Amino acid sequence: MKLRRVVITGMGAITPIGNSVAEYWNGLINGMSGAGPITRFDASKFKTQFACEVKNFSADNYFDRKEVRKYDVYSHYGIAAAVEAVNNAAFDMSKLDHDRVGVIMASGIGGLDTLITEVAGFLKGDGTPRFNPFFIPKMISDITAGHISIRFGFRGPNFATVSACASSANALVDAFNYIRIGYADAFVAGGSEAALNPAGVGGFNAMHALSTRNSDPATASRPFDKDRDGFVIGEGSGVLVFEELEHALNRGAKIYCEVAGGGLSGDAFHMTQPHPEGVGAILSMRAALKDAGLQPEEIDHINTHGTSTSLGDLAELKAIVKVFGEYAYNIGINSTKSMTGHLLGATGAIETIATALAVINDTIPPTINHFTDDPEIDNRLNLTFNKAQHRTVNAALTNTFGFGGHNASIILKKFKE
């Protein structure tokens, strides 16, 4: 079976360092930190009192007042990013076959804010069940995909993927494969997350997963630094339009880059820790390279999962050296989580956008907040510390890993007819 080629024709982003793709990219290349004190709730008694919040976002810009109340915050972000992505793709809706456009929108957690609010309200009452009629549809992880489908009338395959922090990367790989085998001509795909609330922060604190550098939030996300002490939780959404090449060419679409390959794997090791030798990461990267028909030495850039955790950072870099050998030292490697924090189920999508922009602009955003070399990390690796690097990026790989041992790797390359 001859597989169809897939390209990116639209992107949208709501992130802690910008509420559009242009703002997001500007923040990335300038090394902007999105971290600051938590404003959503009183975090003074929490071990971690800071996060990478989305700033200056108004749901009223996208929904009427009745709609705002019907959606959880995670859906606000996801729909807003989808609006930018679809507008960016510039479809002629009057000529588009809506039956051939699908939506896959991921979330690792879904409407946690809604769940907390509704349960807390019940517990404060006299035991009489009084729940918002929108409680369940606001909370469930698939509803953002449904709302995007309804908003634009897209009737192709429609669902959500849930694989913890790999969720939106899985969504993108699924969209890529569905288009390649002819199930649809285009997909709106990505993920959204909004877990900046007492349960989200408290739960990750209980796992000792979050940084507790409360005195200096802006430098708390320190991937690959000796003194890293956990990830910084973030929120937001990333959405991409994946489209079959001929479909895009026939309508005169602007093509940003090509989706070359995707790889998925499982660690089969531990529910929260990565395999110490990066076994699952090795498998997903090798699968993506094979799928793309590329050799390791054809990859110019890797956007790592790079969460700023002691175990995760080491395992991923070991995996990279294992897959790429001596060539690993020629690759521009970075972690954009140093700036955005960790968007959980949305992280794969915003980092795929960052990777696409690196390919388009021949610029690799920095890994900020590097102060002290870690003696356990191979210092021959180019980890793009503290300053963006301008270099030719013909092909790039991005990794996303999740609790449960879920691994996803995606390869993008410059588009050539």
Side-chain angles (χ1 to χ4, degrees):
M1 179 181 180
K2 184 178 180 181
L3 297 176
R4 307 192 307 168
R5 292 171 66 185
V6 180
V7 294
I8 296 173
T9 57
M11 296 182 283
I14 301 292
T15 79
I17 59 172
N19 294 337
S20 68
V21 170
E23 289 180 1
Y24 173 47
W25 179 243
N26 184 65
L28 288 175
I29 61 174
N30 286 295
M32 179 188 300
S33 172
I38 290 171
T39 65
R40 304 295 168 73
F41 64 94
D42 181 1
S44 60
K45 294 182 180 180
F46 285 70
K47 295 177 183 176
T48 296
Q49 299 166 11
F50 61 93
C52 286
E53 295 181 339
V54 167
K55 303 160 190 71
N56 303 314
F57 176 84
S58 175
D60 293 335
N61 292 333
Y62 301 92
F63 317 101
D64 63 35
R65 289 185 179 180
K66 289 183 179 179
E67 283 185 303
V68 169
R69 294 195 296 270
K70 292 179 182 178
Y71 305 148
D72 186 87
V73 177
Y74 99 98
S75 289
H76 290 163
Y77 295 156
I79 297 167
V83 167
E84 182 184 12
V86 172
N87 288 342
N88 185 229
F91 289 117
D92 183 339
M93 293 296 186
S94 66
K95 296 180 180 179
L96 185 67
D97 184 349
H98 287 60
D99 296 350
R100 299 281 299 170
V101 182
V103 182
I104 311 175
M105 276 296 289
S107 185
I109 299 176
L112 189 58
D113 261 351
T114 295
L115 178 62
I116 293 169
T117 300
E118 293 297 320
V119 172
F122 173 72
L123 293 175
K124 288 178 181 178
D126 60 4
T128 303
R130 296 184 180 91
F131 290 95
N132 188 315
F134 295 106
F135 171 30
I136 298 301
K138 284 175 69 174
M139 180 192 68
I140 53 180
S141 296
D142 67 296
I143 201 66
T144 302
H147 285 310
I148 293 168
S149 170
I150 293 165
R151 189 178 187 109
F152 295 104
F154 296 151
R155 293 182 292 267
N158 184 282
F159 59 96
T161 51
V162 179
S163 50
C165 299
S167 296
S168 58
N170 274 152
L172 295 173
V173 173
D174 281 358
F176 173 54
N177 286 326
Y178 274 121
I179 294 170
R180 288 204 292 179
I181 62 176
Y183 275 40
D185 294 325
F187 265 94
V188 177
S192 61
E193 205 79 89
L196 296 186
N197 46 49
V201 175
F204 282 113
N205 265 160
M207 296 173 63
H208 304 287
L210 298 181
S211 170
T212 57
R213 202 178 298 275
N214 295 311
S215 62
D216 193 7
T219 69
S221 185
R222 301 184 178 194
F224 317 125
D225 189 88
K226 178 180 179 293
D227 297 320
R228 62 192 182 278
D229 70 331
F231 73 83
V232 178
I233 190 171
E235 63 175 353
S237 176
V239 177
L240 298 96
V241 175
F242 281 9
E243 190 169 351
E244 191 271 326
L245 174 59
E246 293 303 318
H247 188 271
L249 291 174
N250 288 339
R251 69 180 187 87
K254 179 178 180 179
I255 295 173
Y256 290 102
C257 58
E258 183 167 1
V259 187
L264 304 173
S265 73
D267 276 1
F269 175 71
H270 189 274
M271 70 176 167
T272 58
Q273 295 177 11
H275 191 286
E277 300 302 316
V279 169
I282 291 168
L283 290 172
S284 68
M285 286 189 282
R286 284 179 172 166
L289 285 165
K290 182 178 180 180
D291 192 37
L294 295 176
Q295 297 301 312
E297 58 269 21
E298 293 180 90
I299 298 298
D300 303 302
H301 166 46
I302 298 175
N303 186 314
T304 66
H305 188 56
T307 58
S308 186
T309 58
S310 58
L311 296 177
D313 290 3
L314 285 175
E316 184 172 9
L317 293 181
K318 285 181 181 180
I320 288 171
V321 172
K322 183 71 173 179
V323 171
F324 292 91
E326 287 295 316
Y327 183 73
Y329 307 120
N330 297 323
I331 298 172
I333 301 170
N334 74 345
S335 171
T336 49
K337 286 187 182 71
S338 61
M339 294 170 278
T340 65
H342 191 350
L343 272 63
L344 310 178
T347 200
I350 69 160
E351 287 165 15
T352 299
I353 291 172
T355 305
L357 293 167
V359 172
I360 295 162
N361 296 295
D362 288 320
T363 302
I364 299 173
T367 304
I368 67 168
N369 297 331
H370 180 74
F371 303 98
T372 308
D373 289 344
D374 184 341
E376 294 190 67
I377 289 176
D378 191 335
N379 62 15
R380 292 174 293 173
L381 293 168
N382 174 12
L383 299 175
T384 323
F385 286 137
N386 297 325
K387 187 177 180 180
Q389 294 179 8
H390 302 284
R391 55 180 290 178
T392 300
V393 182
N394 288 314
L397 180 150
T398 181
N399 286 327
T400 315
F401 312 134
F403 286 169
H406 312 295
N407 307 297
S409 300
I410 298 170
I411 295 177
L412 308 178
K413 66 181 182 181
K414 278 186 165 57
F415 170 65
K416 297 177 181 177
E417 288 193 56

